[in-house]
Amino acid sequence: GLLFLFHSPPPPRESHLHCSEERGDREEELKTISKMSVIDILTRVDAICKKYDKYDVDKLNASNVSGDDAFARLYASIESDIDSAIQKAERACQEKNRAAAVALNAEIRRTKARLSEEIPKLQRLALKKVKGLSKEELAIRNDLVLALPDRIQSIPDGSTNGAKQTGSWTSASHMEIRFDSTSDGMFESEYFQQTEESSQFRQEYEMRKMKQDQGLDIISEGLDTLKNMAHDMNEELDRQVPLMDEIDSKVDKATSDLKNTNVRLKDTVNQLRSSRNFCIDIILLCIILGIAAYLYNVLKK
Amino acid sequence: MATPDPDKLMAKADKLTKLSFTRWTADWKNATSLYEQAAIGYRFRKDNEKAKEAFEKASKGQEMISSDCNLDKLDSPWDAAKHMESAAALAKELGHWNEVSDFYKRASELYRECGRAQPASDALAKGASALEDVVPDEAIQLYTDACVILEEDGREQMAFDLYRAATSVYVKLERYADAATFLLRWGIAADKCHAVNSQCKAYLSAIIIYLYMHDFQQAQKCYNDCSQIGAFLSSDQSRCASKLFSAYEEGDVEEIKRVAQSSPITHLDHVIIRLARKLPTGDLKELNKEEAKEEVLDENDLT
């Protein structure tokens, strides 16, 4: 601001007429500066800046552009859209409320799609020749249009982190290392130092997750085999139930028959071996022996 | 009568059975026992031809006994059937294939006379497995009859092995439509005895066979029909089938191969697994073209 006081502003093309007037004012102010304090200087600087705003090149360009050139108009609107989208992306990253972040990301994506659609129009306008524009400017415009798609795509919209986000729900307890809120695009930005720890952690997490997934796959295969075997065993057992019943009844019948037979046999054997018959047998035997001995004696004599 | 010459025994037995002037009625009882001994003697000597004849005659004797004497009725068809089976086994070794099937069928009938369905179907199954390589059509007929016998008796559970063997014979003969139909019959049998796992496996196998025949419409129809059954609809096998169909519709060969390696298919019968590994047969784009053609025809019909 102070420099502005001591250097003459570059005269703009369209306002030569007002130049001489301003020069007169400036000479007056230079005289009064030597008698001022700091605060007074600052206030005078603000007032002078406001006065010479019309010489501000950027603002003039902006106001110029809104005048006639269609290409420049469209280009400016796209640029402003890109800037607002980038701001939204930054807000989404810092957003703690998941739903709001998702909504913002969705908006950003919609904007990106819309802008990508506008680019072919812009391309056509860039190739059109506008009066008062040099050949170099035309080439520059073409390059600007070509650079636009990349800029649009590079706006972070959280889509690159979609898969990782769902995976990192479970590890929400590690709040100090918030890797689910940093996007790939931001790694190259000023936040890189903060995520050095988290990238290592993240790698380890990914490796472990992969190993767990492999192990779970093996387990699931084994479980499938077990399930199939169990089902088959179940059916086999069902098949054998009526057979077992049949065997049961047949064996029952056989045992009862056997018992009957045993009892009858016992009776018969007892009958044969009963003590009365035995005694009678012995007595008869003795009688026979006695008779035989008597006969033998008689014959011997 | 320790181990006399089987020939002599045979001669003696023949004399007993031959009707002549001196003999008005054949003495089957003695004859049969002589025949049996002779047959065993022959088998010991590995004289299969003569042994077979002896068994045949012994079996006939047993039948005769059963028709004459009421007391032995319960046992004799059983013995007759047993002899017939032995005769059939010997015929198999000799290679008289038509005799094999005849003998086994006769044995099965005799078992049925005894009222024992399981041995009847077992006899037919033995016959079918003997004839599988030589006369497969006859083998299939025997298998089908065996299944029918068991189903009539209400013992479908025992028939699963028979169904499995019959489908493998069909697949060997490359009669895939018949194989699929037989598998669906298996599904019905499984349904009757509430064997859900076997039922679902049978349906999945049928679908795979249709796909192997490259008959996508049939396979779809089969799947839709089977989905009417609640048990199948909520099973792993139906999920696998739907994955297979979506892979076919997308024309993704890698996906088809992956589904074929997945677990529901690996638990099926090995014959079916071999077919599944060979999927997809033919060009997948053709399927889509066929479907498109069908749509064109429909439009023409409507307009």
Side-chain angles (χ1 to χ4, degrees):
Chain A
L2 280 168
L3 287 169
F4 186 72
L5 284 173
F6 300 112
H7 295 286
S8 56
R13 273 178 266 149
E14 274 89 351
S15 54
H16 312 288
L17 307 163
H18 307 285
C19 227
S20 46
E21 220 182 2
E22 311 306 327
R23 227 176 267 143
D25 290 355
R26 261 184 284 130
E27 279 170 9
E28 278 181 29
E29 265 132 42
L30 277 169
K31 284 182 200 155
T32 48
I33 278 164
S34 43
K35 299 173 193 164
M36 280 188 298
S37 66
V38 178
I39 297 172
D40 293 330
I41 293 175
L42 284 170
T43 25
R44 285 208 70 76
V45 165
D46 279 328
I48 293 168
C49 282
K50 266 194 229 146
K51 215 164 153 195
Y52 291 114
D53 255 345
K54 59 176 124 173
Y55 297 124
D56 195 350
V57 184
D58 291 332
K59 282 208 181 143
L60 275 169
N61 274 343
S63 55
N64 241 3
V65 152
S66 57
D68 29 3
D69 200 355
F71 169 81
R73 234 183 300 146
L74 196 54
Y75 187 75
S77 75
I78 290 182
E79 281 239 1
S80 58
D81 283 334
I82 292 176
D83 287 330
S84 62
I86 292 177
Q87 278 176 9
K88 260 194 229 157
E90 288 184 32
R91 250 196 306 144
C93 288
Q94 263 103 41
E95 186 69 53
K96 291 221 175 158
N97 185 359
R98 287 269 129 228
V102 167
L104 283 168
N105 283 336
E107 266 183 53
I108 292 167
R109 261 174 260 145
R110 249 181 281 138
T111 322
K112 275 165 77 169
R114 197 171 41 83
L115 293 173
S116 315
E117 277 169 29
E118 305 247 320
I119 286 185
K121 237 198 302 178
L122 196 63
Q123 189 101 26
R124 265 177 282 141
L125 285 173
L127 294 168
K128 256 200 269 175
K129 286 211 172 173
V130 182
K131 54 183 173 180
L133 225 56
S134 64
K135 273 200 189 149
E136 290 165 5
E137 293 254 339
L138 209 59
I140 293 171
R141 283 191 178 185
N142 223 3
D143 292 332
L144 286 171
V145 171
L146 288 169
L148 268 183
D150 292 324
R151 283 177 64 192
I152 292 176
Q153 287 304 321
S154 68
I155 301 174
D157 62 359
S159 60
T160 47
N161 282 350
K164 288 181 190 157
Q165 268 178 349
T166 50
S168 53
W169 274 125
T170 49
S171 54
S173 54
H174 295 279
M175 286 311 283
E176 64 275 18
I177 304 171
R178 296 171 61 214
F179 46 75
D180 55 358
S181 59
T182 54
S183 61
D184 283 335
M186 302 258 277
F187 274 153
E188 284 80 49
S189 72
E190 59 266 25
Y191 296 114
F192 181 77
Q193 279 159 353
Q194 285 184 3
T195 58
E196 215 174 87
E197 252 180 57
S198 72
S199 66
Q200 238 183 357
F201 188 84
R202 181 195 224 154
Q203 266 176 4
E204 209 187 300
Y205 158 78
E206 297 284 338
M207 291 301 297
R208 285 205 194 157
K209 195 161 92 117
M210 232 167 42
K211 288 219 183 85
Q212 270 186 2
D213 282 342
Q214 279 172 354
L216 284 173
D217 280 334
I218 294 172
I219 291 176
S220 91
E221 264 180 61
L223 279 176
D224 271 331
T225 316
L226 276 175
K227 178 177 163 193
N228 183 54
M229 282 204 280
H231 271 296
D232 286 340
M233 279 199 277
N234 184 29
E235 284 179 12
E236 192 61 40
L237 285 170
D238 284 338
R239 207 189 295 190
Q240 297 191 343
V241 162
L243 296 177
M244 292 301 285
D245 290 337
E246 233 182 271
I247 291 176
D248 201 25
S249 59
K250 281 195 185 160
V251 168
D252 282 339
K253 193 157 104 54
T255 43
S256 60
D257 280 344
L258 214 58
K259 274 196 195 141
N260 272 344
T261 315
N262 274 343
V263 165
R264 284 213 305 234
L265 200 61
K266 205 169 158 192
D267 285 338
T268 318
V269 169
N270 275 342
Q271 245 183 355
L272 289 170
R273 263 196 334 116
S274 73
S275 38
R276 198 164 57 118
N277 287 344
F278 200 53
C279 291
I280 291 172
D281 286 337
I282 290 175
I283 289 165
L284 282 170
L285 202 64
C286 293
I287 290 169
I288 287 169
L289 281 173
I291 291 171
Y294 181 67
L295 279 169
Y296 179 69
N297 282 339
V298 164
L299 280 170
K300 208 177 165 190
K301 277 196 194 147
Chain B
M1 289 214 287
T3 43
D5 194 14
D7 293 320
K8 280 205 200 131
L9 288 169
M10 280 290 284
K12 231 176 160 180
D14 281 330
K15 255 198 294 180
L16 284 172
T17 53
K18 226 182 285 196
L19 292 170
S20 61
F21 274 127
T22 48
R23 205 176 272 284
W24 292 101
T25 53
D27 187 5
W28 282 111
K29 243 179 158 166
N30 292 333
T32 316
S33 56
L34 288 171
Y35 277 133
E36 281 171 27
Q37 284 176 17
I40 292 169
Y42 278 131
R43 194 162 57 180
F44 189 67
R45 277 206 307 193
K46 304 257 191 278
D47 190 352
N48 289 338
E49 181 74 42
K50 294 226 177 91
K52 182 173 69 77
E53 280 174 26
F55 271 122
E56 267 180 83
K57 289 194 182 143
S59 159
K60 201 160 73 128
Q62 291 283 5
E63 277 182 69
M64 290 298 178
I65 294 174
S66 68
S67 57
D68 287 341
C69 180
N70 288 330
L71 281 171
D72 289 335
K73 210 172 200 166
L74 292 166
D75 297 341
S76 294
W78 179 264
D79 293 325
K82 271 234 129 51
H83 291 314
M84 263 299 161
E85 267 196 70
S86 331
L90 291 164
K92 180 179 96 167
E93 277 176 47
L94 286 169
H96 300 167
W97 306 115
N98 50 347
E99 277 186 14
V100 167
S101 77
D102 288 334
F103 287 165
Y104 272 122
K105 277 193 208 153
R106 186 90 194 97
S108 155
E109 278 169 27
L110 289 165
Y111 280 127
R112 280 177 91 172
E113 268 180 54
C114 295
R116 309 279 294 277
Q118 181 69 45
S121 88
D122 281 344
L124 288 177
K126 270 186 240 172
S129 62
L131 294 173
E132 246 178 28
D133 297 318
V134 190
V135 192
D137 295 315
E138 187 66 37
I140 287 175
Q141 186 58 41
L142 288 172
Y143 274 130
T144 324
D145 293 336
C147 295
V148 166
I149 291 175
L150 283 174
E151 277 171 15
E152 278 173 18
D153 206 37
R155 296 159 142 241
E156 295 91 0
Q157 286 244 321
M158 305 296 176
F160 288 175
D161 289 328
L162 298 168
Y163 281 119
R164 204 180 58 82
T167 27
S168 69
V169 173
Y170 271 127
V171 168
K172 232 190 327 180
L173 293 174
E174 298 193 358
R175 282 157 64 171
Y176 295 118
D178 293 330
T181 329
F182 215 69
L183 281 166
L184 293 173
R185 262 184 74 176
W186 186 358
I188 296 173
D191 190 41
K192 259 191 248 161
C193 39
H194 306 290
V196 178
N197 203 31
S198 292
Q199 191 185 8
C200 298
K201 283 203 262 195
Y203 289 145
L204 184 61
S205 314
I207 291 173
I208 287 177
I209 287 188
Y210 279 131
L211 285 173
Y212 186 75
M213 289 198 305
H214 210 56
D215 194 351
F216 192 66
Q217 275 76 28
Q218 266 290 8
Q220 277 271 354
K221 266 188 250 166
C222 182
Y223 177 67
N224 290 335
D225 290 335
C226 299
S227 305
Q228 307 282 341
I229 299 165
F232 180 70
L233 193 58
S234 54
S235 71
D236 283 338
Q237 282 83 5
S238 86
R239 239 175 287 142
C240 178
S242 64
K243 264 193 258 179
L244 205 53
F245 280 130
S246 58
Y248 255 92
E249 272 161 29
E250 285 170 26
D252 190 357
V253 180
E254 285 303 312
E255 181 66 28
I256 293 174
K257 292 226 185 292
R258 207 145 44 83
V259 175
Q261 305 284 345
S262 74
S263 67
I265 293 188
T266 40
H267 295 315
L268 297 173
D269 191 28
H270 69 277
V271 173
I272 312 286
I273 295 177
R274 248 183 274 147
L275 294 181
R277 295 273 158 85
K278 291 195 201 141
L279 284 176
T281 53
D283 201 8
L284 289 170
K285 299 195 194 101
E286 278 174 19
L287 283 172
N288 294 331
K289 271 192 219 154
E290 275 175 34
E291 288 180 21
K293 260 191 237 157
E294 279 188 28
E295 288 174 23
V296 170
L297 285 169
D298 282 342
E299 284 178 23
N300 287 337
D301 284 339
L302 288 170
T303 51

